[in-house]
Amino acid sequence: MRSASPAGFSEQAHGADAALEVHAPDLTGLFHQAARGMYELLGAQPRAGQASRLQIEVQAGDEEGLLVSFLTRLLFLLEQEHRMAVGMDLVFGDRSLQASLECAGVASIQR
């Protein structure tokens, strides 16, 4: 059942894996909510302190591919560089996404 709010996410039963249902009124909101949901599923908490800016670009053949590429990049930052996006500005092009991320260190990951 979809939430009454125009944007959000909810965890869905999905066998051994975790799954999210994400909804938003527009593509930018959908990407924001998907990132928030992924961090929540992982139990990722940002470390207090100074944030840094990071520019990333991902490309794919369609919007679904862009979302997968974007979340994969955020997951890499989290697991390999111990940084997470606490703010983001997204600009969509034809088969591309440019993101300006405000990144903080990771205080903890629960899963």
Side-chain angles (χ1 to χ4, degrees), residues 31-92:
F31 276 57
H32 279 265
Q33 292 300 317
R36 285 185 57 229
M38 181 182 74
Y39 287 143
E40 187 169 304
L41 275 176
L42 296 171
Q45 297 295 320
R47 184 176 343 123
Q50 186 174 358
S52 61
R53 295 299 286 185
L54 175 66
Q55 306 294 319
I56 65 169
E57 181 174 354
V58 295
Q59 297 180 357
D62 57 20
E63 292 170 346
E64 182 178 346
L66 282 177
L67 180 59
V68 170
S69 295
F70 177 64
L71 294 176
T72 299
R73 184 66 190 268
L74 293 183
L75 187 59
F76 177 84
L77 287 170
L78 183 70
E79 293 180 336
Q80 301 300 314
E81 298 184 16
H82 308 288
R83 296 192 292 170
M84 61 186 291
V86 295
M88 59 185 77
D89 294 314
L90 307 176
V91 178
F92 293 92

